[in-house]
Amino acid sequence: MQIVRRLVVDLRARANAWSLSVDVAERIRAAAPAGWEVCFVEAPTVSDGDGGSAPSDEVLRAVRGAEAYFGFGISPTLFTVAQGLRWVHSASAGVGRLLFPEMLASSVILTNSAGVHAVPMAEYALGGIIFLLRSFDAARELQRARSWDKEAFVGRGSTIRELRDCHVLVLGAGGIGAAIAQRLSLLGSHCTGVRRRPELGAPEGFDIVVGPGEWEEFLPSTDVLVVSAPGTAQTETIVSASVLDRLPEDAIVVNVARGSLVDEQALADRIARGRLRGAVLDVFHEEPLPADSPLWGLSSVLLTPHVSAVSPRGFWERESALFIDNWHRYVEGREMLNVVDREAGY
């Protein structure tokens, strides 16, 4: 009797943009290697953050005896029930909540979706940077006031600049950071990247890439600081008050990584005092962002509720291609893509 190997797909997200569609489900089913069955969980799940939300009763039943699990992260509870798991693939890029003690102590292969979100997040960052470089924040306030006033654009206090005049420092020169640098460099910006292992070289779009101990010397000449590094113990509050104080007064800060990487209070204080030009923020220390956060009241801060990665069609095209490729690599014993480095935390 042939032993059937089981994949559990738990991707019916409550948010429509992240919920598995019928056509993608069929694509996964059709790609199943010989001897595999696919169990699609119909109970809703949560796709926010790093995933790993409380599991439904349906998925708890489905993972018993499963060899592979494909979801938005995985919770300790679900992991404990799924004793036969050998591979977990997360549709999220971040894995902070997935590195719980049981996972760290296991030999289960953990892969993530790093790079899958790079295109929409790069376009988000580009849009936000242009928003401030062209003083669209001032335009928005003038429109609300029904005021025809050119002073913010043509007066002494104007901060309008072209992208070609900007030096961009990107903290995290991985898939997302590289996609941002590619777009900015094509529009004339000069981009410096920061990565844990600079010996791996500079991805397309960067003039140079430096290591963790070298990037602060570039701060005084940085017009745009982009934060796109993984959230780990090593990157917590990497953009501190002292880092912000070394930036030029007209500098822009962009955070599409995790809220833990930036000192939000220090950032809000410096923007409120006119010490920095403004910020583009999609992630925060606490989400939802509390109503009493000073960031809400700053017109030169563009806030979004952790949605920079949203791109339903593009995401599922890239995500399904990555997963199916990895599935066949797993079955054939080949090197897999996006294997999480448990020690590094991403």
Side-chain angles (χ1 to χ4, degrees):
M1 182 178 178
Q2 184 179 15
I3 298 176
V4 177
R5 305 165 77 178
R6 186 190 310 158
L7 162 69
V8 173
V9 178
D10 185 19
L11 298 170
R12 298 293 187 193
R14 290 185 173 90
N16 185 65
W18 302 117
S19 188
L20 183 73
S21 64
V22 173
D23 61 321
V24 174
E26 286 307 311
R27 195 180 309 159
I28 294 172
R29 193 190 304 276
W36 281 79
E37 66 173 5
V38 185
C39 175
F40 291 96
V41 177
E42 297 300 327
T45 188
V46 175
S47 57
D48 293 348
D50 296 345
S53 61
S56 65
D57 290 341
E58 181 184 356
V59 74
L60 285 170
R61 292 191 298 269
V63 295
R64 296 181 188 278
E67 182 174 341
Y69 174 80
F70 181 12
F72 296 103
I74 188 170
S75 69
T77 300
L78 188 57
F79 187 79
T80 301
V81 170
Q83 292 293 315
L85 278 184
R86 295 294 176 266
W87 171 37
V88 171
H89 178 75
S90 176
S92 301
V95 295
R97 290 171 57 189
L98 278 63
L99 300 178
F100 44 83
E102 295 86 352
M103 175 68 79
L104 291 173
S106 77
S107 60
V108 172
I109 300 168
L110 176 61
T111 57
N112 69 355
S113 297
V116 169
H117 303 293
V119 171
M121 292 179 72
E123 293 180 359
Y124 170 94
L126 176 60
I129 292 166
I130 292 175
F131 179 86
L132 291 175
L133 289 181
R134 299 304 306 173
S135 291
F136 289 161
D137 56 328
R140 177 179 58 188
E141 296 304 306
L142 290 167
Q143 182 176 350
R144 286 174 176 168
R146 298 175 181 266
S147 174
W148 185 273
D149 185 355
K150 296 184 181 181
E151 183 64 20
F153 307 94
V154 302
R156 284 186 183 277
S158 173
T159 58
I160 289 179
R161 284 172 288 170
E162 296 182 11
L163 282 166
R164 68 175 182 171
D165 298 326
C166 294
H167 173 231
V168 183
L169 181 62
V170 182
L171 299 181
I176 294 167
I180 293 171
Q182 287 168 15
R183 286 154 178 77
L184 289 171
S185 64
L186 286 172
L187 294 170
S189 298
H190 297 281
C191 300
T192 297
V194 183
R195 66 190 312 178
R196 184 168 61 96
R197 297 179 59 193
E199 67 272 14
L200 295 177
E204 181 184 354
F206 291 108
D207 294 342
I208 58 170
V209 167
V210 299
E214 306 169 272
W215 61 274
E216 292 195 29
E217 67 184 76
F218 293 92
L219 290 171
S221 61
T222 293
D223 301 292
V224 181
L225 176 64
V226 175
V227 186
S228 56
T232 67
Q234 289 69 39
T235 60
E236 185 170 355
T237 322
I238 190 172
V239 181
S240 62
S242 62
V243 165
L244 295 172
D245 286 340
R246 295 182 66 185
L247 292 169
E249 288 191 358
D250 56 357
I252 294 167
V253 176
V254 180
N255 189 4
V256 291
R258 288 290 185 267
S260 61
L261 276 69
V262 176
D263 185 334
E264 281 179 12
Q265 293 299 319
L267 178 62
D269 171 71
R270 281 144 184 80
I271 293 174
R273 291 192 285 110
R275 175 60 186 77
L276 294 173
R277 170 65 182 89
V280 181
L281 306 173
D282 186 52
V283 290
F284 306 90
H285 278 274
E286 183 179 346
E287 297 181 4
L289 183 65
D292 61 355
S293 169
L295 293 169
W296 286 111
L298 298 173
S299 61
S300 56
V301 174
L302 181 62
L303 301 178
T304 51
H306 205 148
V307 293
S308 63
V310 173
S311 178
R313 178 180 175 183
F315 167 72
W316 284 114
E317 287 177 352
R318 291 184 290 271
E319 181 66 28
S320 60
L322 169 63
F323 176 78
I324 290 169
D325 184 8
N326 250 357
W327 195 5
H328 287 268
R329 288 169 178 262
Y330 171 79
V331 171
E332 296 164 13
R334 294 186 286 129
E335 182 179 3
M336 296 177 70
L337 306 173
N338 285 20
V339 176
V340 173
D341 183 332
R342 286 162 157 83
E343 184 176 341
Y346 61 91

